[in-house]
Amino acid sequence: MKNVFKILGVFILLFTAFSLTSCNNDDDPADNDFFAGTYKGSISYKDNDNDIATDNGEVFVTKIASGTKYNFKFSNGIPDLNGLEFQKQGDNTLVMVNSNALVYVRIDNNELKMLYTADGKTWRANCTR
């Protein structure tokens, strides 16, 4: 039983190492089955109790298993956005499904642009990789 756990542990370690080394700035969120990337720049969040803004923030973006949904993890105590659904537009750009005047999220290999308003809360991002 210990040998099974050792082998499984080595497999998980190798898979993790391969996954982390394969992520770089050339990764394209529109064309990869799995995507993880950090975008840096201006981010903000506002609700009834909070008003957070910084020009040196980070947003860690991951593509989740569905293939069309993404999670956005913000720095500086800004709440995360999870499960936002996207559609491919053009060769390398993703635009959020049902974008409108209060909801606009656009992501590509180099840029993240976001204005997302829901339930009296507003997230903004103007970041690059």
Short mmCIF file of all heavy atoms in Angstrom, two decimals, residues 66-119:
data_model
loop_
_atom_site.label_atom_id
_atom_site.label_comp_id
_atom_site.label_asym_id
_atom_site.label_seq_id
_atom_site.Cartn_x
_atom_site.Cartn_y
_atom_site.Cartn_z
N SER A 66 -14.80 23.20 -17.63
CA SER A 66 -15.85 23.25 -18.65
C SER A 66 -15.32 23.66 -20.01
O SER A 66 -15.92 23.37 -21.03
CB SER A 66 -16.94 24.24 -18.24
OG SER A 66 -16.45 25.57 -18.37
N GLY A 67 -14.18 24.38 -20.04
CA GLY A 67 -13.62 24.82 -21.30
C GLY A 67 -14.09 26.19 -21.74
O GLY A 67 -13.50 26.81 -22.60
N THR A 68 -15.19 26.70 -21.16
CA THR A 68 -15.67 28.03 -21.51
C THR A 68 -15.77 28.95 -20.30
O THR A 68 -16.07 30.12 -20.45
CB THR A 68 -17.06 27.98 -22.18
OG1 THR A 68 -18.00 27.39 -21.27
CG2 THR A 68 -17.01 27.19 -23.47
N LYS A 69 -15.54 28.43 -19.12
CA LYS A 69 -15.67 29.22 -17.89
C LYS A 69 -14.30 29.50 -17.28
O LYS A 69 -13.41 28.66 -17.29
CB LYS A 69 -16.57 28.52 -16.89
CG LYS A 69 -18.00 28.45 -17.39
CD LYS A 69 -18.92 27.91 -16.35
CE LYS A 69 -20.34 27.86 -16.91
NZ LYS A 69 -21.27 27.32 -15.94
N TYR A 70 -14.17 30.71 -16.72
CA TYR A 70 -12.92 31.18 -16.16
C TYR A 70 -13.14 31.71 -14.75
O TYR A 70 -14.22 32.22 -14.42
CB TYR A 70 -12.34 32.30 -17.03
CG TYR A 70 -11.80 31.81 -18.35
CD1 TYR A 70 -12.66 31.44 -19.37
CD2 TYR A 70 -10.44 31.69 -18.56
CE1 TYR A 70 -12.17 30.98 -20.59
CE2 TYR A 70 -9.94 31.23 -19.77
CZ TYR A 70 -10.82 30.88 -20.78
OH TYR A 70 -10.34 30.41 -21.96
N ASN A 71 -12.09 31.63 -13.95
CA ASN A 71 -12.07 32.20 -12.60
C ASN A 71 -11.05 33.33 -12.57
O ASN A 71 -9.99 33.24 -13.20
CB ASN A 71 -11.70 31.15 -11.55
CG ASN A 71 -12.75 30.08 -11.43
OD1 ASN A 71 -13.92 30.29 -11.71
ND2 ASN A 71 -12.34 28.90 -11.00
N PHE A 72 -11.35 34.38 -11.80
CA PHE A 72 -10.49 35.55 -11.67
C PHE A 72 -10.20 35.78 -10.19
O PHE A 72 -11.10 36.10 -9.43
CB PHE A 72 -11.17 36.78 -12.27
CG PHE A 72 -11.43 36.65 -13.74
CD1 PHE A 72 -12.57 35.99 -14.20
CD2 PHE A 72 -10.55 37.17 -14.67
CE1 PHE A 72 -12.81 35.85 -15.56
CE2 PHE A 72 -10.78 37.04 -16.03
CZ PHE A 72 -11.92 36.38 -16.47
N LYS A 73 -8.94 35.60 -9.79
CA LYS A 73 -8.52 35.80 -8.40
C LYS A 73 -7.75 37.11 -8.34
O LYS A 73 -6.69 37.24 -8.94
CB LYS A 73 -7.66 34.64 -7.93
CG LYS A 73 -7.22 34.77 -6.49
CD LYS A 73 -6.53 33.51 -6.03
CE LYS A 73 -6.01 33.62 -4.62
NZ LYS A 73 -6.98 33.93 -3.64
N PHE A 74 -8.29 38.08 -7.60
CA PHE A 74 -7.72 39.41 -7.50
C PHE A 74 -6.81 39.54 -6.29
O PHE A 74 -7.02 38.90 -5.25
CB PHE A 74 -8.84 40.45 -7.36
CG PHE A 74 -9.65 40.63 -8.60
CD1 PHE A 74 -10.69 39.77 -8.90
CD2 PHE A 74 -9.39 41.67 -9.47
CE1 PHE A 74 -11.45 39.93 -10.04
CE2 PHE A 74 -10.14 41.85 -10.61
CZ PHE A 74 -11.18 40.97 -10.90
N SER A 75 -5.82 40.42 -6.39
CA SER A 75 -4.98 40.76 -5.24
C SER A 75 -5.65 41.89 -4.45
O SER A 75 -6.75 42.32 -4.78
CB SER A 75 -3.60 41.22 -5.73
OG SER A 75 -3.70 42.42 -6.48
N ASN A 76 -4.99 42.34 -3.40
CA ASN A 76 -5.40 43.50 -2.62
C ASN A 76 -6.75 43.35 -1.92
O ASN A 76 -7.46 44.34 -1.73
CB ASN A 76 -5.39 44.76 -3.48
CG ASN A 76 -4.02 45.06 -4.03
OD1 ASN A 76 -3.60 44.44 -5.01
ND2 ASN A 76 -3.30 45.98 -3.41
N GLY A 77 -7.13 42.14 -1.59
CA GLY A 77 -8.36 41.93 -0.84
C GLY A 77 -9.64 42.08 -1.65
O GLY A 77 -10.73 42.14 -1.09
N ILE A 78 -9.51 42.13 -2.96
CA ILE A 78 -10.69 42.23 -3.83
C ILE A 78 -11.29 40.84 -3.97
O ILE A 78 -10.58 39.87 -4.24
CB ILE A 78 -10.30 42.82 -5.21
CG1 ILE A 78 -9.84 44.26 -5.04
CG2 ILE A 78 -11.45 42.71 -6.19
CD1 ILE A 78 -9.34 44.92 -6.31
N PRO A 79 -12.62 40.72 -3.81
CA PRO A 79 -13.25 39.40 -3.94
C PRO A 79 -13.05 38.80 -5.33
O PRO A 79 -12.99 39.52 -6.33
CB PRO A 79 -14.74 39.69 -3.70
CG PRO A 79 -14.77 41.00 -2.98
CD PRO A 79 -13.57 41.76 -3.44
N ASP A 80 -12.97 37.48 -5.37
CA ASP A 80 -12.77 36.77 -6.64
C ASP A 80 -14.07 36.73 -7.43
O ASP A 80 -15.17 36.81 -6.88
CB ASP A 80 -12.31 35.34 -6.36
CG ASP A 80 -11.01 35.29 -5.59
OD1 ASP A 80 -10.27 36.30 -5.59
OD2 ASP A 80 -10.74 34.25 -4.97
N LEU A 81 -13.93 36.56 -8.74
CA LEU A 81 -15.06 36.28 -9.63
C LEU A 81 -14.84 34.89 -10.19
O LEU A 81 -13.78 34.59 -10.74
CB LEU A 81 -15.11 37.29 -10.78
CG LEU A 81 -15.60 38.67 -10.45
CD1 LEU A 81 -15.38 39.62 -11.63
CD2 LEU A 81 -17.07 38.65 -10.08
N ASN A 82 -15.83 34.03 -10.06
CA ASN A 82 -15.68 32.64 -10.49
C ASN A 82 -16.78 32.22 -11.43
O ASN A 82 -17.93 32.64 -11.30
CB ASN A 82 -15.67 31.71 -9.26
CG ASN A 82 -14.46 31.95 -8.39
OD1 ASN A 82 -13.34 32.04 -8.88
ND2 ASN A 82 -14.68 32.07 -7.10
N GLY A 83 -16.42 31.38 -12.39
CA GLY A 83 -17.39 30.77 -13.28
C GLY A 83 -17.93 31.68 -14.36
O GLY A 83 -19.02 31.44 -14.86
N LEU A 84 -17.17 32.72 -14.76
CA LEU A 84 -17.64 33.59 -15.83
C LEU A 84 -17.46 32.86 -17.16
O LEU A 84 -16.42 32.31 -17.45
CB LEU A 84 -16.85 34.90 -15.85
CG LEU A 84 -16.92 35.76 -14.58
CD1 LEU A 84 -16.18 37.06 -14.80
CD2 LEU A 84 -18.35 36.02 -14.17
N GLU A 85 -18.51 32.90 -17.98
CA GLU A 85 -18.50 32.16 -19.24
C GLU A 85 -18.09 33.06 -20.40
O GLU A 85 -18.55 34.20 -20.51
CB GLU A 85 -19.86 31.56 -19.52
CG GLU A 85 -19.86 30.62 -20.69
CD GLU A 85 -21.14 29.82 -20.81
OE1 GLU A 85 -22.08 30.03 -20.03
OE2 GLU A 85 -21.19 28.96 -21.69
N PHE A 86 -17.24 32.52 -21.29
CA PHE A 86 -16.69 33.28 -22.40
C PHE A 86 -16.94 32.58 -23.73
O PHE A 86 -17.13 31.36 -23.79
CB PHE A 86 -15.18 33.46 -22.23
CG PHE A 86 -14.84 34.47 -21.18
CD1 PHE A 86 -14.87 34.13 -19.84
CD2 PHE A 86 -14.52 35.76 -21.52
CE1 PHE A 86 -14.58 35.07 -18.87
CE2 PHE A 86 -14.22 36.71 -20.56
CZ PHE A 86 -14.26 36.35 -19.23
N GLN A 87 -16.88 33.37 -24.79
CA GLN A 87 -16.92 32.84 -26.14
C GLN A 87 -15.75 33.43 -26.91
O GLN A 87 -15.33 34.56 -26.65
CB GLN A 87 -18.24 33.16 -26.83
CG GLN A 87 -18.50 34.63 -27.02
CD GLN A 87 -19.92 34.90 -27.49
OE1 GLN A 87 -20.77 34.02 -27.48
NE2 GLN A 87 -20.17 36.12 -27.91
N LYS A 88 -15.21 32.66 -27.82
CA LYS A 88 -14.07 33.09 -28.62
C LYS A 88 -14.54 34.11 -29.66
O LYS A 88 -15.55 33.93 -30.31
CB LYS A 88 -13.41 31.90 -29.28
CG LYS A 88 -12.09 32.19 -29.93
CD LYS A 88 -11.43 30.91 -30.39
CE LYS A 88 -10.13 31.22 -31.08
NZ LYS A 88 -9.47 30.00 -31.55
N GLN A 89 -13.75 35.18 -29.80
CA GLN A 89 -14.04 36.21 -30.80
C GLN A 89 -12.76 36.47 -31.58
O GLN A 89 -11.77 36.90 -31.00
CB GLN A 89 -14.54 37.48 -30.12
CG GLN A 89 -14.99 38.56 -31.08
CD GLN A 89 -15.50 39.77 -30.34
OE1 GLN A 89 -14.72 40.45 -29.68
NE2 GLN A 89 -16.77 40.00 -30.41
N GLY A 90 -12.77 36.22 -32.86
CA GLY A 90 -11.55 36.35 -33.64
C GLY A 90 -10.62 35.19 -33.36
O GLY A 90 -11.03 34.14 -32.88
N ASP A 91 -9.33 35.41 -33.62
CA ASP A 91 -8.36 34.33 -33.45
C ASP A 91 -7.95 34.09 -32.01
O ASP A 91 -7.79 32.97 -31.58
CB ASP A 91 -7.09 34.62 -34.27
CG ASP A 91 -7.34 34.47 -35.76
OD1 ASP A 91 -8.29 33.76 -36.13
OD2 ASP A 91 -6.60 35.07 -36.54
N ASN A 92 -7.72 35.15 -31.24
CA ASN A 92 -7.12 34.97 -29.93
C ASN A 92 -7.78 35.78 -28.82
O ASN A 92 -7.14 36.10 -27.83
CB ASN A 92 -5.64 35.38 -29.99
CG ASN A 92 -4.88 34.54 -30.97
OD1 ASN A 92 -5.06 34.66 -32.16
ND2 ASN A 92 -4.06 33.66 -30.47
N THR A 93 -9.03 36.12 -28.95
CA THR A 93 -9.69 36.95 -27.95
C THR A 93 -10.92 36.24 -27.41
O THR A 93 -11.66 35.61 -28.15
CB THR A 93 -10.11 38.30 -28.58
OG1 THR A 93 -8.95 38.94 -29.09
CG2 THR A 93 -10.76 39.21 -27.56
N LEU A 94 -11.12 36.37 -26.10
CA LEU A 94 -12.32 35.86 -25.45
C LEU A 94 -13.13 37.04 -24.94
O LEU A 94 -12.59 37.95 -24.33
CB LEU A 94 -11.95 34.96 -24.27
CG LEU A 94 -11.23 33.67 -24.62
CD1 LEU A 94 -10.67 33.03 -23.36
CD2 LEU A 94 -12.18 32.72 -25.30
N VAL A 95 -14.43 37.00 -25.19
CA VAL A 95 -15.34 38.03 -24.70
C VAL A 95 -16.40 37.33 -23.87
O VAL A 95 -16.92 36.28 -24.26
CB VAL A 95 -15.98 38.82 -25.86
CG1 VAL A 95 -16.99 39.82 -25.35
CG2 VAL A 95 -14.91 39.50 -26.69
N MET A 96 -16.74 37.93 -22.74
CA MET A 96 -17.71 37.32 -21.85
C MET A 96 -19.06 37.19 -22.54
O MET A 96 -19.51 38.11 -23.22
CB MET A 96 -17.84 38.14 -20.57
CG MET A 96 -18.68 37.46 -19.55
SD MET A 96 -18.68 38.37 -18.03
CE MET A 96 -20.09 37.63 -17.28
N VAL A 97 -19.72 36.05 -22.35
CA VAL A 97 -21.06 35.83 -22.87
C VAL A 97 -22.00 36.83 -22.22
O VAL A 97 -21.91 37.10 -21.02
CB VAL A 97 -21.50 34.37 -22.58
CG1 VAL A 97 -22.95 34.14 -22.96
CG2 VAL A 97 -20.59 33.39 -23.29
N ASN A 98 -22.90 37.40 -23.00
CA ASN A 98 -23.89 38.38 -22.54
C ASN A 98 -23.26 39.68 -22.06
O ASN A 98 -23.77 40.32 -21.14
CB ASN A 98 -24.79 37.80 -21.44
CG ASN A 98 -25.59 36.62 -21.94
OD1 ASN A 98 -26.02 36.59 -23.09
ND2 ASN A 98 -25.77 35.63 -21.10
N SER A 99 -22.16 40.10 -22.67
CA SER A 99 -21.57 41.39 -22.33
C SER A 99 -22.55 42.49 -22.68
O SER A 99 -23.26 42.42 -23.67
CB SER A 99 -20.26 41.61 -23.09
OG SER A 99 -19.26 40.77 -22.60
N ASN A 100 -22.59 43.53 -21.83
CA ASN A 100 -23.44 44.69 -22.07
C ASN A 100 -22.78 45.89 -21.43
O ASN A 100 -21.61 45.85 -21.09
CB ASN A 100 -24.86 44.45 -21.54
CG ASN A 100 -24.88 44.15 -20.05
OD1 ASN A 100 -24.24 44.81 -19.26
ND2 ASN A 100 -25.63 43.12 -19.67
N ALA A 101 -23.52 46.98 -21.23
CA ALA A 101 -22.93 48.20 -20.69
C ALA A 101 -22.40 48.02 -19.27
O ALA A 101 -21.49 48.73 -18.85
CB ALA A 101 -23.96 49.33 -20.73
N LEU A 102 -22.97 47.11 -18.50
CA LEU A 102 -22.53 46.91 -17.12
C LEU A 102 -21.63 45.69 -16.95
O LEU A 102 -21.06 45.49 -15.88
CB LEU A 102 -23.76 46.77 -16.20
CG LEU A 102 -24.67 47.99 -16.14
CD1 LEU A 102 -25.88 47.70 -15.27
CD2 LEU A 102 -23.92 49.20 -15.63
N VAL A 103 -21.53 44.90 -17.98
CA VAL A 103 -20.70 43.70 -17.92
C VAL A 103 -19.88 43.62 -19.20
O VAL A 103 -20.42 43.38 -20.28
CB VAL A 103 -21.55 42.42 -17.76
CG1 VAL A 103 -20.67 41.18 -17.82
CG2 VAL A 103 -22.34 42.45 -16.47
N TYR A 104 -18.58 43.82 -19.06
CA TYR A 104 -17.69 43.69 -20.21
C TYR A 104 -16.37 43.12 -19.72
O TYR A 104 -15.70 43.72 -18.90
CB TYR A 104 -17.44 45.05 -20.87
CG TYR A 104 -16.49 44.97 -22.03
CD1 TYR A 104 -16.91 44.51 -23.27
CD2 TYR A 104 -15.16 45.31 -21.89
CE1 TYR A 104 -16.05 44.41 -24.34
CE2 TYR A 104 -14.28 45.22 -22.95
CZ TYR A 104 -14.73 44.77 -24.17
OH TYR A 104 -13.86 44.67 -25.22
N VAL A 105 -16.04 41.94 -20.19
CA VAL A 105 -14.76 41.31 -19.85
C VAL A 105 -14.17 40.79 -21.15
O VAL A 105 -14.81 40.03 -21.88
CB VAL A 105 -14.92 40.16 -18.84
CG1 VAL A 105 -13.56 39.60 -18.47
CG2 VAL A 105 -15.67 40.62 -17.60
N ARG A 106 -12.95 41.20 -21.43
CA ARG A 106 -12.25 40.79 -22.64
C ARG A 106 -10.85 40.37 -22.24
O ARG A 106 -10.15 41.09 -21.52
CB ARG A 106 -12.21 41.96 -23.62
CG ARG A 106 -11.61 41.64 -24.94
CD ARG A 106 -11.68 42.89 -25.83
NE ARG A 106 -11.10 42.62 -27.11
CZ ARG A 106 -11.78 42.49 -28.23
NH1 ARG A 106 -13.07 42.63 -28.23
NH2 ARG A 106 -11.16 42.24 -29.35
N ILE A 107 -10.44 39.21 -22.72
CA ILE A 107 -9.14 38.68 -22.34
C ILE A 107 -8.46 38.07 -23.56
O ILE A 107 -9.10 37.45 -24.40
CB ILE A 107 -9.28 37.62 -21.21
CG1 ILE A 107 -7.92 37.16 -20.72
CG2 ILE A 107 -10.15 36.48 -21.62
CD1 ILE A 107 -7.99 36.30 -19.48
N ASP A 108 -7.16 38.32 -23.68
CA ASP A 108 -6.36 37.65 -24.69
C ASP A 108 -5.00 37.35 -24.10
O ASP A 108 -4.79 37.48 -22.90
CB ASP A 108 -6.28 38.46 -26.00
CG ASP A 108 -5.55 39.79 -25.86
OD1 ASP A 108 -4.71 39.94 -24.94
OD2 ASP A 108 -5.79 40.68 -26.69
N ASN A 109 -4.06 36.96 -24.92
CA ASN A 109 -2.73 36.58 -24.46
C ASN A 109 -2.03 37.70 -23.70
O ASN A 109 -1.30 37.45 -22.75
CB ASN A 109 -1.88 36.14 -25.66
CG ASN A 109 -0.51 35.67 -25.23
OD1 ASN A 109 -0.36 35.00 -24.22
ND2 ASN A 109 0.49 36.03 -26.00
N ASN A 110 -2.29 38.95 -24.08
CA ASN A 110 -1.54 40.07 -23.51
C ASN A 110 -2.35 40.98 -22.60
O ASN A 110 -1.76 41.71 -21.82
CB ASN A 110 -0.95 40.92 -24.63
CG ASN A 110 -0.01 40.12 -25.50
OD1 ASN A 110 0.84 39.40 -24.99
ND2 ASN A 110 -0.17 40.22 -26.79
N GLU A 111 -3.68 40.99 -22.71
CA GLU A 111 -4.48 41.99 -22.00
C GLU A 111 -5.71 41.41 -21.34
O GLU A 111 -6.32 40.47 -21.85
CB GLU A 111 -4.99 43.05 -23.00
CG GLU A 111 -4.10 44.22 -23.18
CD GLU A 111 -4.78 45.28 -24.05
OE1 GLU A 111 -5.54 44.93 -24.97
OE2 GLU A 111 -4.53 46.45 -23.77
N LEU A 112 -6.08 42.03 -20.24
CA LEU A 112 -7.34 41.77 -19.56
C LEU A 112 -8.03 43.11 -19.35
O LEU A 112 -7.46 44.00 -18.73
CB LEU A 112 -7.12 41.08 -18.21
CG LEU A 112 -8.32 41.02 -17.26
CD1 LEU A 112 -9.45 40.19 -17.84
CD2 LEU A 112 -7.90 40.48 -15.90
N LYS A 113 -9.22 43.26 -19.89
CA LYS A 113 -10.04 44.46 -19.71
C LYS A 113 -11.34 44.01 -19.07
O LYS A 113 -12.01 43.10 -19.58
CB LYS A 113 -10.35 45.14 -21.05
CG LYS A 113 -9.15 45.51 -21.87
CD LYS A 113 -8.57 46.80 -21.39
CE LYS A 113 -7.47 47.24 -22.36
NZ LYS A 113 -6.68 48.29 -21.86
N MET A 114 -11.71 44.66 -17.96
CA MET A 114 -12.89 44.21 -17.26
C MET A 114 -13.67 45.38 -16.67
O MET A 114 -13.09 46.28 -16.05
CB MET A 114 -12.49 43.26 -16.11
CG MET A 114 -13.64 42.83 -15.22
SD MET A 114 -13.10 41.80 -13.83
CE MET A 114 -12.66 40.30 -14.67
N LEU A 115 -14.97 45.35 -16.85
CA LEU A 115 -15.94 46.15 -16.12
C LEU A 115 -17.08 45.20 -15.83
O LEU A 115 -17.80 44.80 -16.75
CB LEU A 115 -16.43 47.36 -16.92
CG LEU A 115 -17.63 48.08 -16.30
CD1 LEU A 115 -17.30 48.63 -14.92
CD2 LEU A 115 -18.12 49.18 -17.22
N TYR A 116 -17.20 44.78 -14.59
CA TYR A 116 -18.18 43.78 -14.22
C TYR A 116 -18.99 44.31 -13.04
O TYR A 116 -18.43 44.58 -11.98
CB TYR A 116 -17.49 42.46 -13.85
CG TYR A 116 -18.44 41.33 -13.59
CD1 TYR A 116 -18.88 40.52 -14.63
CD2 TYR A 116 -18.92 41.06 -12.31
CE1 TYR A 116 -19.76 39.48 -14.41
CE2 TYR A 116 -19.79 40.02 -12.08
CZ TYR A 116 -20.22 39.23 -13.13
OH TYR A 116 -21.10 38.20 -12.90
N THR A 117 -20.30 44.46 -13.24
CA THR A 117 -21.19 44.96 -12.19
C THR A 117 -22.29 43.95 -11.95
O THR A 117 -22.96 43.53 -12.89
CB THR A 117 -21.79 46.32 -12.59
OG1 THR A 117 -20.73 47.25 -12.79
CG2 THR A 117 -22.71 46.86 -11.51
N ALA A 118 -22.47 43.58 -10.68
CA ALA A 118 -23.53 42.65 -10.29
C ALA A 118 -23.88 42.89 -8.83
O ALA A 118 -22.99 43.05 -7.99
CB ALA A 118 -23.09 41.21 -10.50
N ASP A 119 -25.16 42.93 -8.53
CA ASP A 119 -25.64 43.05 -7.15
C ASP A 119 -25.03 44.23 -6.41
O ASP A 119 -24.66 44.12 -5.23
CB ASP A 119 -25.36 41.75 -6.37
CG ASP A 119 -26.01 40.54 -7.02
OD1 ASP A 119 -27.13 40.67 -7.55
OD2 ASP A 119 -25.39 39.46 -7.02
#
